[in-house]
């Protein structure tokens, strides 16, 4: 597959590894839709050099319904979908039992929802549309 043929959804796409992947694809003629929750960085990501083939959809990857809806919109806006790249992730670093107290379950659960369940939601929604 030529990079110019890629129609990709990239999670965590407005910064870090996701943004680097998006820039590479767009620089070689492909199209991308960036899924992220960082509206502030999205403007710069979409307006970066060569990003005329990029779009941003605010997406919480842990929300199954939102992922499915935005994945369908992404396919429509790009005229197809043949690649999904999961780069969304959060750090939930902490100790099970620290000096102050034990790690709150909510902190651990949020990390699992984004890093594990989010990856599953995106892979599933993408596969259903490919």
């Amino acid at each position: 597959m030529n990079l110019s043929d890629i129609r990709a959804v990239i999670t965590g796409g407005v910064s870090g590894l996701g943004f680097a992947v998006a820039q590479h694809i767009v620089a070689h003629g492909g199209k991308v839709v960036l899924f992220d929750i960082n509206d502030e960085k999205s403007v710069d990501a979409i307006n970066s050099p060569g990003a005329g083939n990029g779009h941003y959809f605010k997406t919480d990857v842990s929300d199954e319904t939102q992922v499915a809806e935005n994945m369908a919109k992404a396919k429509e806006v790009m005229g197809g979908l043949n690649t999904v790249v999961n780069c969304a992730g959060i750090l939930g670093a902490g100790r099970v039992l620290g000096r102050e107290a034990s790690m709150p379950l909510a902190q651990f659960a949020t990390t699992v929802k984004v890093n594990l369940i989010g990856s599953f939601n995106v892979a599933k929604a993408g596969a259903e549309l490919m």
Side-chain angles (χ1 to χ4, degrees):
M1 176 183 296
N2 294 321
L3 289 175
S4 62
D5 296 330
I6 289 183
R7 303 297 179 260
V9 166
I10 303 171
T11 68
V14 302
S15 64
L17 182 59
F19 183 56
V21 170
Q23 285 184 305
H24 185 75
I25 291 170
V26 169
H28 290 88
K31 294 181 180 181
V32 298
V33 171
L34 311 178
F35 282 12
D36 210 303
I37 59 170
N38 192 333
D39 289 336
E40 200 171 292
K41 286 188 175 183
S42 70
V43 174
D44 290 336
I46 295 304
N47 291 326
S48 69
N53 286 329
H55 300 275
Y56 166 75
F57 295 163
K58 185 171 187 169
T59 308
D60 174 355
V61 295
S62 69
D63 183 330
E64 182 180 20
T65 302
Q66 188 178 78
V67 168
E69 289 171 358
N70 285 350
M71 192 69 72
K73 291 177 190 174
K75 181 178 180 178
E76 183 178 329
V77 78
M78 291 187 291
L81 177 68
N82 57 22
T83 306
V84 173
V85 181
N86 271 307
C87 292
I90 60 172
L91 291 175
R95 295 181 179 186
V96 172
L97 181 60
R99 292 181 187 179
E100 304 291 321
S102 59
M103 178 192 297
L105 177 58
Q107 179 182 347
F108 179 74
T110 299
T111 303
V112 170
K113 282 178 68 175
V114 172
N115 296 354
L116 181 61
I117 295 171
S119 293
F120 175 78
N121 286 340
V122 172
K124 178 177 75 164
E128 288 175 348
L129 295 174
M130 286 188 215

